């Protein structure tokens, strides 16, 4: 039994509503950030800080109620990662926008299945296992401090202030760049012998904040990917394919057609290697969970150990599969695949259940091992779409009319979207359940909160996606404007689906990437055995695949974050200093990303790609100097301000 006294307030209406309000902010920010750079941020800790700062003014607030708030917000914010798949349906031309009901149904059913599939893993992976669950422990530490006396109140107030100030500064700078008085990006294209390459970086507080959170190991891995892609592959590939005209168009074209598929090969190998490494522990964990459930049958289970009953889990999963079947059927009716609808729906349901259960176990274990933020969920999405595509190739073959192939690609993406919802939520909720275990929460109440968070997120995601595609568009799609969002994972996953089903996938570059991935895996294992800083293969793959404009600032942020963490370890209260650093990075991400959502609304309402521009391109050089100088000065000031707040 827990040593904590059992408060009355836990799963409360105000806690759910507060979690929903925070959800609006963090989910919108994560959707924008994910579409822009292919990365999202963990919302548990900032949600806990905001919750504490608000609930401490309300009567009867408890640590368990705070935990429910962060659980709702965390689940919904994590579900925003569905944007790694769904924009692909627009990119391939199947959707012209994001229909609310269909988009929300894909998001909700996948997320709810993620909760159902991972609940049985709690005892094995959270209670009985020895996995570190870094973010779960960090969120629990924040909640416990908030439960304390004046010290906790002071920290929650200081933390909220850091988030607000950093968000305002990040948003203010982003607004300035839209006036063109300060540059938003610095780029330089150049020739290297017979080939060419480039150097580019976006002046974005959000990207620096992401770098702080992912840490030096991932940052250096992405730097290694940049060196491989822009320092080796791009010069060689451009030299082999000379082109007249501007260097920028030449370099950009070769990067999109060849280099990114090399990155996909690295990411695929990294994901497979992760699965191989954890297969044994995952199978053992699931077996011990089943054994623990059987051993407890008929026993009086303490409140701190009560999960949702197994009949609810099994029955709930079956009930959720009904709208999944309807969703898949409605996709096929009236199209070229209507005659095969029964077979396709049955096959997809089996695929969702079998692959979903495996993915829930894999993602839950990975989150416990390295944290939800560092878990290679995008790699899981790549493997899922390849598996779905190959399943459809096995049923239909490749020699199909274009309309049939297009329908198969869309169907593969929708099935992958549901499975990806399972992956994102199972990657997050065991982390939340670890937090709950550490603070003495009731598991079944937290699992209900997770379901509520999924429903909140599934309502928020569709309109934000619709606003993004209407205002900006996605890179590569017809009619995309100059502010088009890269949506890198969705572009890759849709390209893989089209390549597998159409038979024109760039297997040569994927093969080169797979070879690089094997070399990186070996290097990472050797570094690990030598006790050196690891080089995560997925980070290398992302460094190759993503444009330098978005990865270089992440590398810079990782270096800055490491320097800050070194300073934090020397302080009187290293834990407090570390948490304030996390909130510093989070504030920058939230401010920059939320402004991106607001700017999308301005673009949509005005019909202009540059509605805030005060000057033309003649100030480009001056704007670059202003942007670089101001960005560096503000970044230094924000971190100095955090250090002063830590010292009190």
């Amino acid at each position: 039994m827990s040593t904590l006294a059992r408060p009355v307030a836990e799963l409360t209406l105000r806690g759910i509503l507060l979690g929903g309000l925070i959800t609006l902010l963090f989910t919108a920010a994560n959707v924008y950030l994910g579409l822009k750079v292919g990365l999202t941020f963990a919302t548990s800790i900032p949600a806990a800080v905001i919750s504490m700062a608000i609930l401490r003014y309300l009567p009867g607030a408890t640590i368990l109620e705070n935990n429910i708030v962060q659980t709702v917000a965390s689940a919904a914010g994590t579900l925003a990662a569905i944007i790694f798949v769904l924009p692909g349906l627009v990119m391939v031309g199947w959707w012209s926008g994001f229909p609310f009901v269909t988009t929300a149904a894909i998001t909700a059913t996948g997320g709810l299945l993620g909760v159902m599939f991972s609940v049985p893993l709690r005892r094995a992976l959270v209670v009985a296992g020895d996995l570190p669950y870094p973010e779960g422990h960090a969120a629990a530490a924040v909640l416990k401090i908030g439960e304390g006396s004046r010290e906790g109140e002071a920290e929650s107030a200081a933390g909220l202030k850091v988030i607000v100030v950093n968000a305002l500064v990040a948003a203010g700078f982003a607004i300035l760049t839209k006036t063109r008085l300060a540059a938003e990006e610095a780029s330089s294209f150049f020739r290297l012998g017979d080939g060419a390459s480039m150097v580019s970086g976006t002046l974005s507080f959000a990207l620096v904040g992401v770098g702080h959170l992912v840490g030096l190991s991932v940052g250096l891995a992405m730097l290694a990917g940049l060196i491989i892609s822009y320092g080796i592959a791009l010069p060689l590939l451009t030299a082999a394919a000379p082109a007249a005209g501007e260097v920028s168009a030449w370099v950009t074209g070769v990067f999109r057609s060849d280099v990114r598929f090399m990155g996909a090969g690295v990411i695929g190998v990294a994901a497979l290697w992760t699965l191989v490494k954890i297969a044994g522990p995952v199978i053992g964990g699931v077996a011990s969970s089943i054994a623990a459930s059987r051993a407890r049958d008929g026993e009086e289970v303490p409140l701190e150990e009560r999960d949702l009953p197994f009949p609810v889990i099994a029955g709930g999963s079956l009930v959720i599969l009904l709208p999944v079947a309807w969703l898949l059927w409605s996709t096929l009716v009236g199209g070229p695949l209507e005659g095969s609808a029964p077979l396709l729906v049955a096959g997809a349901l089996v695929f969702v259940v079998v692959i979903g259960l495996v993915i829930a176990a894999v993602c839950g274990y990975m989150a416990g091992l390295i944290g939800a933020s560092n878990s290679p969920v995008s790699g899981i999405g790549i493997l899922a779409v390849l598996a779905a595509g190959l399943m459809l190739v096995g049923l239909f073959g490749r020699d199909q009319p274009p309309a049939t192939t297009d329908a198969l690609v869309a169907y593969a993406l929708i099935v992958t979207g549901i499975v990806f919802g399972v992956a994102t939520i199972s990657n997050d909720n065991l982390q939340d359940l670890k937090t709950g275990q550490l603070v003495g929460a009731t598991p079944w109440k937290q699992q209900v909160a997770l379901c509520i968070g999924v429903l909140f997120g599934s309502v928020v995601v569709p309109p934000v996606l619709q606003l993004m595609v209407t205002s900006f568009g996605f890179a590569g799609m017809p009619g995309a404007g100059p502010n088009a969002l890269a949506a890198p994972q969705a572009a890759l996953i849709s390209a893989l689906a089209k390549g597998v089903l159409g038979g024109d996938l760039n297997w040569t570059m994927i093969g080169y990437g797979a070879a690089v991935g094997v070399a990186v895996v070996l290097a990472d294992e050797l570094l690990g055995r030598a006790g050196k800083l690891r080089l995560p293969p997925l980070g290398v793959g992302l460094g190759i695949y993503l444009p330098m404009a978005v990865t270089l600032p992440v590398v810079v942020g990782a270096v800055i974050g490491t320097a800050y963490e070194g300073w934090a370890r020397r302080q009187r209260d290293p834990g407090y200093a570390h948490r304030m650093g996390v909130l510093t990075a989070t504030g920058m991400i939230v401010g920059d990303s939320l402004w991106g959502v607001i700017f999308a609304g301005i673009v949509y309402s005005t019909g202009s790609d540059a509605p805030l521009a005060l000057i033309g391109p003649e100030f480009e050089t001056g704007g670059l100097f202003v942007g670089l100088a101001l960005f560096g000065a503000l970044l230094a000031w924000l971190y100095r301000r955090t250090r002063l707040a830590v010292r009190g």
Side-chain angles (χ1 to χ4, degrees):
M1 295 289 290
S2 170
T3 56
L4 292 174
R6 174 65 55 181
V8 175
E10 186 170 1
L11 186 61
T12 64
L13 178 60
R14 69 182 182 187
I16 292 171
L17 293 177
L18 180 56
L21 181 61
I22 297 173
T23 287
L24 292 173
L25 301 177
F26 287 165
T27 302
N30 256 339
V31 168
Y32 176 78
L33 186 67
L35 290 173
K36 184 176 182 180
V37 302
L39 297 168
T40 55
F41 66 100
T43 57
S44 293
I45 292 175
V49 170
I50 294 173
S51 170
M52 287 188 304
I54 295 174
L55 286 181
R56 67 193 180 97
Y57 292 108
L58 302 177
T62 69
I63 187 173
L64 301 185
E65 190 178 19
N66 271 317
N67 181 53
I68 289 295
V69 174
Q70 73 85 19
T71 298
V72 172
S74 175
T78 299
L79 198 60
I82 196 71
I83 51 93
F84 292 167
V85 177
L86 293 187
L89 289 162
V90 174
M91 293 176 175
V92 301
W94 188 258
W95 285 354
S96 58
F98 293 92
F100 180 85
V101 173
T102 305
T103 305
I106 294 172
T107 307
T109 53
L112 291 173
L113 285 175
V115 177
M116 298 295 112
F117 288 173
S118 54
V119 165
L121 301 173
R122 188 189 68 86
R123 285 200 180 98
L125 299 184
V126 174
V127 179
D130 57 354
L131 296 171
Y133 285 100
E135 289 153 356
H137 278 273
V142 171
L143 290 171
K144 288 178 179 178
I145 288 173
E147 184 72 0
S149 57
R150 295 178 181 176
E151 180 182 355
E153 293 181 2
E155 176 170 341
S156 63
L160 182 61
K161 188 175 182 180
V162 164
I163 289 179
V164 170
V165 170
N166 285 26
L168 290 174
V169 169
F173 181 81
I175 292 171
L176 183 66
T177 64
K178 296 302 181 184
T179 67
R180 294 184 177 173
L181 294 172
E184 187 174 8
E185 181 181 324
S187 300
S188 176
F189 295 85
F190 50 86
R191 295 183 180 272
L192 285 173
D194 295 330
S197 189
M198 65 176 293
V199 174
S200 180
T202 302
L203 302 181
S204 167
F205 283 93
L207 298 181
V208 173
V210 168
H212 181 134
L213 295 181
V214 300
L216 186 63
S217 181
V218 174
L220 291 180
M222 295 182 79
L223 177 61
L226 285 176
I227 293 171
I228 293 171
S229 58
Y230 287 88
I232 300 174
L234 200 52
L236 291 176
L237 291 169
T238 48
E246 293 185 2
V247 177
S248 59
W250 180 26
V251 170
T252 303
V254 172
F255 179 84
R256 288 179 177 173
S257 63
D258 291 315
V259 176
R260 68 172 186 166
F261 285 99
M262 184 179 181
V266 178
I267 292 171
V269 168
L272 285 173
W273 176 243
T274 302
L275 295 180
V276 169
K277 286 181 68 176
I278 70 173
V282 166
I283 293 171
V286 173
S288 63
S289 176
I290 294 172
S293 298
R294 289 175 178 171
R296 290 182 180 274
D297 286 346
E299 296 181 10
E300 180 64 27
V301 180
L303 284 175
E304 294 85 348
E305 288 299 314
R306 292 183 186 175
D307 294 297
L308 288 172
F310 183 77
V312 173
I313 297 299
S317 299
L318 291 175
V319 169
I320 296 166
L321 288 176
L322 293 177
V324 171
W326 166 81
L327 176 66
L328 297 174
W329 185 273
S330 64
T331 302
L332 300 171
V333 171
L337 300 175
E338 183 174 5
S340 303
L343 175 63
L344 283 170
V345 171
L349 290 177
V350 173
F351 182 86
V352 167
V353 172
V354 174
I355 301 298
L357 287 169
V358 172
I359 282 178
V362 169
C363 289
Y365 187 90
M366 289 192 300
L369 189 65
I370 59 177
S373 298
N374 297 324
S375 186
V377 176
S378 56
I380 297 295
I382 289 170
L383 295 178
V385 77
L386 287 174
L390 292 172
M391 176 187 72
L392 295 175
V393 167
L395 292 173
F396 290 88
R398 286 197 177 93
D399 297 326
Q400 298 293 329
T404 303
T405 300
D406 291 344
L408 287 170
V409 169
Y411 193 71
L413 289 173
I414 289 173
V415 173
T416 301
I418 295 169
V419 172
F420 198 77
V422 174
T424 58
I425 289 300
S426 57
N427 184 58
D428 170 76
N429 66 357
L430 289 177
Q431 201 83 242
D432 289 330
L433 291 171
K434 184 64 179 181
T435 300
Q437 182 210 17
L438 294 172
V439 301
T442 308
W444 75 262
K445 293 182 179 180
Q446 202 169 1
Q447 289 151 10
V448 170
L450 286 163
C451 292
I452 294 172
V454 167
L455 296 177
F456 274 133
S458 64
V459 173
V460 174
V461 168
V464 178
L465 276 174
Q466 182 61 40
L467 180 62
M468 294 297 111
V469 72
T470 305
S471 304
F472 300 139
F474 304 129
M477 66 172 279
N483 295 315
L485 299 167
Q489 273 90 345
L492 173 58
I493 287 174
S494 61
L496 290 174
K498 290 176 66 177
V500 170
L501 290 160
D504 58 351
L505 192 61
N506 191 343
W507 288 110
T508 300
M509 292 309 301
I510 289 178
Y512 288 145
V516 172
V518 171
V520 172
V521 165
L522 291 174
D524 180 54
E525 291 298 312
L526 291 174
L527 288 170
R529 293 182 181 181
K532 305 294 185 181
L533 188 68
R534 303 297 293 261
L535 197 67
L538 182 69
V540 177
L542 288 174
I544 297 173
Y545 179 78
L546 295 174
M548 181 185 285
V550 299
T551 48
L552 188 58
V554 175
V555 174
V556 172
V559 174
I560 293 173
T562 301
Y564 175 87
E565 290 299 324
W567 172 86
R569 285 192 292 271
R570 298 190 298 271
Q571 302 311 299
R572 179 169 49 89
D573 187 347
Y576 174 52
H578 165 75
R579 291 188 295 273
M580 291 293 279
V582 170
L583 297 177
T584 296
T586 301
M588 293 190 292
I589 293 171
V590 170
D592 200 337
S593 300
L594 287 180
W595 161 248
V597 177
I598 295 170
F599 182 66
I602 297 173
V603 169
Y604 175 75
S605 62
T606 61
S608 169
D609 290 324
L612 303 182
L614 299 178
I615 53 176
E618 66 275 3
F619 191 64
E620 183 176 348
T621 302
L624 179 60
F625 283 110
V626 171
L628 286 170
L630 185 59
F631 185 76
L634 288 174
L635 198 59
W637 178 74
L638 289 178
Y639 273 97
R640 181 175 181 273
R641 189 175 177 280
T642 298
R643 290 197 300 269
L644 292 175
V646 169
R647 289 173 174 169

